[in-house]
Amino acid sequence: MPKELRWGLVGASDIAATRVLPAIRRAGGIVQIVQSGSKDHGRGYAAGNEIPTATTELSEALAADIDAVYISSRNDQHAAQALAAAAAGKHILLEKPLAIDYAEAQSVVAACERAGVVLAINHHLPGAGTHARIRELVRGGAIGRVLSASIRHAVMLSERLRGWRLFGTPGGGVILDITVHDASVLNPLIGHPAQTVTALATSQGRWPATAEDAAMVAITYGADILAQTHDAFTSAFTETRLEVHGEEGSIVGRGVMTQDPVGQVFLTDRSGEREIPVDDRRDLYDIAIGAFAGAVAGEGSPAASGADGLAALAVAQAALTSSLTGRAVPISDITK
Ligand code: NDP
């Protein structure tokens, strides 16, 4: 049984307050300190979330009596903060994307290995009961040889999140926000390395965005498998969906690209279509925190490891490069 962890929060963020802090506490974890770049925001956040101490100094947070940090700052801050946490010997649950640049992300993974600390990336989807069930079906041969996969992950960005994601900040945009999550699902599902990525991106929202808010991405995997994603901040009524098609059948996950433990899984093969029961309906963030605590205790691995985060980032960075250059981008151009 993993011990109760003492945590520091790096970044006084929405996702920490709404999803991860409650999950840490449900697992018996204790949050000792929050670090925010803004004194006022940090103090208000600590008071509002019953965290005893707020600081503007990362070094003070890392010197606190904590086992682990949860880093959920803006994307462009992830790498430097994770490197500092590794140097301080703290285990790290790091928000996605691992970094906004692949080489920087590699340096984080290497630093955590050298420091002997656990690094988990908070890709919440691959751990979900629905996704685990779909992977089980594929690996068990339910659809035979995999030919293609498709994800629709087009949502309406909540009003409260229409800040750095849309305007100016490096690391904003839908590709580093949502496509990177799709890649965290497709990579282990398809089980072959991503090869080449082509993407189109645009700004279609009723806001003066300076970053892309909608993207369609095509990816080749292994020798001959095709995948595609549609990601957007602009679609209020679109059902999310994960499909995987094989020689012997097709699987459709309806409403499964979400933060909640919902959605249905259907299998169609020669016997027709049927719903596949999904027994694991645990909160997705409970799954991530449970696996992280287990890994810290030497029992099992994180739901998404540093290597998983790197593989997801490689696809997203290739998509971003493709959308800006108009050319197909080999993954090897990103990972070289
Ligand atoms: P927020 O915009 O809520 O927070 C990001 C940073 O913005 C905070 O760390 C904080 O900076 C600053 N900030 C926020 N509100 C204020 C304020 N009122 N005044 C001053 N500064 C403020 O981001 P999100 O929670 O949406 O995202 C944070 C990270 O989590 C991102 O990396 C994102 O990709 C990831 N994420 C992951 C999800 C998942 O399901 N895995 C879902 C949503 C986001 P400071 O660091 O200085 O405190």
Side-chain angles (χ1 to χ4, degrees):
M1 182 69 182
K3 79 172 176 107
E4 292 165 0
L5 293 177
R6 290 157 303 159
W7 291 80
L9 302 188
V10 177
S13 69
D14 183 87
I15 182 71
T18 55
R19 300 281 180 170
V20 177
L21 183 52
I24 286 174
R25 287 181 171 149
R26 285 195 293 271
I30 297 160
V31 179
Q32 307 274 47
I33 190 163
V34 58
Q35 184 270 335
S36 171
S38 154
K39 194 170 178 180
D40 288 345
H41 177 58
R43 277 189 183 164
Y45 191 93
N49 291 288
E50 297 176 19
I51 301 169
T53 313
T55 178
T56 55
E57 300 305 317
L58 182 58
S59 55
E60 187 183 337
L62 295 175
D65 181 23
I66 56 173
D67 308 296
V69 289
Y70 168 52
I71 300 176
S72 65
S73 51
R74 284 190 335 248
N75 297 342
D76 56 312
Q77 299 175 302
H78 290 180
Q81 292 170 337
L83 287 171
K90 305 302 178 190
H91 301 292
I92 304 169
L93 174 62
L94 176 59
E95 264 309 338
K96 41 54 66 170
L98 206 168
I100 62 172
D101 170 76
Y102 190 82
E104 259 186 0
Q106 276 182 310
S107 70
V108 171
V109 173
C112 290
E113 276 168 13
R114 274 196 309 275
V117 298
V118 170
L119 171 65
I121 311 304
N122 201 29
H123 282 298
H124 59 292
L125 290 166
T130 46
H131 288 260
R133 195 79 186 90
I134 291 170
R135 282 197 306 277
E136 245 172 53
L137 288 167
V138 170
R139 285 174 194 167
I143 61 168
R145 184 168 73 100
V146 173
L147 303 172
S148 65
S150 162
I151 287 179
R152 191 167 59 219
H153 200 165
V155 297
M156 176 55 73
L157 186 64
S158 305
E159 233 171 294
R160 67 179 202 280
L161 299 181
R162 292 177 194 170
W164 58 267
R165 276 183 179 74
L166 295 173
F167 304 107
T169 316
V174 76
I175 292 177
L176 285 176
D177 201 51
I178 297 188
T179 311
V180 74
H181 270 318
D182 300 344
S184 80
V185 168
L186 290 170
N187 292 338
L189 176 63
I190 294 176
H192 293 272
Q195 300 290 347
T196 303
V197 181
T198 307
L200 293 172
T202 189
S203 287
Q204 56 184 205
R206 294 190 177 276
W207 42 58
T210 50
E212 83 286 349
D213 60 18
M216 290 197 175
V217 180
I219 312 159
T220 58
Y221 277 89
D224 58 2
I225 301 168
L226 295 171
Q228 65 179 53
T229 72
H230 170 203
D231 303 308
F233 291 148
T234 53
S235 276
F237 304 103
T238 316
E239 180 189 62
T240 69
R241 210 170 165 97
L242 165 62
E243 299 181 7
V244 52
H245 305 285
E247 280 183 327
E248 308 291 333
S250 286
I251 299 164
V252 175
R254 295 186 56 182
V256 298
M257 303 301 291
T258 164
Q259 294 179 297
D260 295 311
V262 297
Q264 294 167 285
V265 176
F266 298 90
L267 171 65
T268 304
D269 57 16
R270 283 191 180 81
S271 323
E273 186 192 58
R274 59 204 174 276
E275 184 169 355
I276 303 295
V278 174
D279 299 327
D280 184 359
R281 293 290 182 177
R282 283 176 298 157
D283 180 279
L284 276 55
Y285 299 88
D286 287 347
I287 292 171
I289 295 293
F292 179 82
V296 168
E299 299 164 11
S301 344
S305 65
D308 296 326
L310 269 180
L313 177 63
V315 171
Q317 197 175 328
L320 201 51
T321 306
S322 174
S323 73
L324 295 171
T325 60
R327 65 180 176 87
V329 178
I331 290 290
S332 56
D333 277 9
I334 305 293
T335 58
K336 66 181 178 228

